Amino acid sequence: MKVHKPCPVPTARRHLSSVEVSSGPTGYLIVEANGGLNQQRSAICNAVAVAGILNAVLVIPSFDYNSVWKDPSEFRDIYDEDHFIATLEGYVKVVKELPNELISRYDHNITNIPHLRVEAWAPAKHYLGKVYPVLQEQGVVRIAPFANRLAMDVPSHIQLLRCITNYKALRFSSPISTLAQKLQNRMIERSSMTGGKYVSVHLRFEEDMVAFSCCLYDGGDAEKFEMDSFREKGWKGKFKKKDFDFVAGRNRIDGKCPLTPLEVGMMLRGMGFDNNTSIYLASGKLYKAEQNLAPLLKMFPLLYTKESLATSDELAPFQGYSSRLAALDYTVCLFSEVFVTTQGGNFPHFLMGHRRFLYNGHAKTIKPDKRMLVSLLENMTIRYFFNQLRHSSLLIYFVLLGTAMLRVLDLHSASIFDNLPMT
């Protein structure tokens, strides 16, 4: 199993300091992080950890241009480089680029540097046995791709590096943090009826997510054809392999399907959030947004996104940069009173850990049991709910759903914000 380990006590730093002082850096480590914002964030944390394992100097990670995310941003566009380097001082030495005398040995071409491929979830001993000798001999190594290339179960002094990197060293760049602060303040202003408290929801209902999940909703044969076409275009026959078996209905029963906006709305109303609740929606471009978002807006008219909170001029520098836009969502969600995750993935995992770090080990997070939700919703179709939303008869179902939710969470007070369990 890939076991997530807690952040260790800072005394583990002594181990790192003693190694560096006794032997000096072995060489330079170059990594190329791939994926979206939070997959890259994971790679950065692991890169610092690997540099600690190898006693290497880390070159600021470069980002691989991804055909899905299509974001050419570099590290300095998303994160504060100087803060990153300064925070890790005394743990791992970080530089912005290779020394000229070293890169000149490779004709100033980074692709000429010894390139190593490392297996996924490689343990620390793999780096010591396979990578370290090359680093000693060459003085520099390059590892690409670099996503999920370090096991979760590592020594405590290496886990410390992940924690320091994630929660202290990685600070968003000034343009991102400045606008994110404005969006957060505007959410607080719009949440006056709840004392400035708002709920953030990470909704994974983009077209690629719906397609990859192999789930079907309410579009019938037309939706199935559309999703089959999208899967074939995006994943080149992966879903047609003989050893790949999926049944949409079974995926839903197993809780593997992304929640629809309507299902998220019904869950929150059932838990006791009323239509005076302000909600910040963190999401990419939703699948059939106008149709699917309508019922959620009916239930929660005080629903906002970065697009509705920011002016067009404020957002203009971020358009076309998916990672920078995701960083805005990340920050507003980070400081919400309640965070709701609906599908898993790197974004909510980082947020849940980061929020616990900020709130002294506790944060109000709703992580629904989707198998249980399916059992509550299985007798009524999505289309039925959509058509009935305008009728008061649906309130009866909210009461029934709410009763089930409250039993599970043991909530009794009318103040849902104050009585959510701290997780």
Side-chain angles (χ1 to χ4, degrees), residues 12-27:
R13 177 176 181 173
R14 298 172 189 166
H15 180 96
L16 296 161
S17 299
S18 63
V19 171
E20 185 174 352
V21 170
S22 62
S23 60
T26 309

Side-chain angles (χ1 to χ4, degrees), residues 205 210 213-227 248-249 252 257-263 287-288 291-293 295 377-389:
F205 204 68
V210 173
S213 69
C214 298
C215 298
L216 292 176
Y217 292 91
D218 196 38
D221 292 339
E223 179 186 304
K224 184 178 184 305
F225 177 80
E226 182 181 5
M227 290 295 99
R252 179 170 171 78
C257 293
L259 294 181
T260 68
L262 173 56
E263 290 170 332
Y287 174 57
K288 295 184 178 178
Q291 170 186 323
N292 287 313
L293 202 55
L377 301 171
E378 64 182 355
N379 292 324
M380 298 186 181
T381 67
I382 299 300
R383 176 57 56 189
Y384 172 81
F385 288 132
F386 182 81
N387 290 335
Q388 293 297 314
L389 261 172

Side-chain angles (χ1 to χ4, degrees), residues 136-158:
Q136 274 191 314
E137 180 182 347
Q138 300 293 332
V140 58
V141 295
R142 181 169 65 97
I143 303 177
F146 195 81
N148 304 326
R149 288 302 183 269
L150 180 62
M152 287 295 176
D153 191 10
V154 294
S156 61
H157 65 282
I158 300 302

